[in-house]
Amino acid sequence: MANMQSIGASIQNMSVAATDLNIGRLWICDIFFTYEECVDWINIESQLVASMAFGYPDENPHKRPMKNLDKVVTWRGYSFFIFIICYNIIRIFNLKIYS
């Protein structure tokens, strides 16, 4: 389980770094339909968990409207502290929550 969390954190960090460099990215989690083809193409013996595509976008779509926080946050017990932490992460990395 810890390895999966590390992989997810690494992919998220690569995504944030790519955004900062104006590089397009797509996190592909559902690789299981093409698992064998991907493993053969990459030529690895390890287990493939996810993949990430990078490139320079050739289009600039309009920004989607942001969701209201009340629609994506459930307030329970320590939720206020979790909200403050998430809010600061969103603010520091200039992340957007899209609808």
Side-chain angles (χ1 to χ4, degrees):
M1 180 57 122
N3 287 340
M4 293 296 189
Q5 291 173 340
S6 296
I7 292 167
S10 297
I11 291 174
Q12 183 177 8
N13 289 338
M14 288 189 292
S15 180
V16 170
T19 300
D20 190 47
L21 297 169
N22 294 320
I23 296 174
R25 76 272 178 245
L26 175 63
W27 181 346
I28 307 166
C29 292
D30 193 8
I31 58 167
F32 301 106
F33 293 109
T34 60
Y35 186 85
E36 293 299 324
E37 292 86 354
C38 289
V39 169
D40 289 343
W41 183 69
I42 298 172
N43 195 22
I44 59 171
E45 297 293 325
S46 301
Q47 179 184 5
L48 188 60
V49 176
S51 63
M52 189 108 180
F54 295 97
Y56 292 98
D58 63 354
E59 58 185 42
N60 190 14
H62 67 281
K63 291 187 176 187
R64 296 179 288 174
M66 291 182 67
K67 287 185 177 180
N68 186 328
L69 279 179
D70 290 335
K71 294 189 178 209
V72 295
V73 174
T74 301
W75 302 99
R76 298 182 187 160
Y78 294 104
S79 293
F80 178 73
F81 298 108
I82 294 170
F83 167 76
I84 295 299
I85 292 168
C86 291
Y87 173 79
N88 285 319
I89 290 171
I90 290 168
R91 186 177 54 79
I92 290 168
F93 292 107
N94 195 25
L95 302 175
K96 305 292 182 209
I97 302 172
Y98 295 106
S99 57

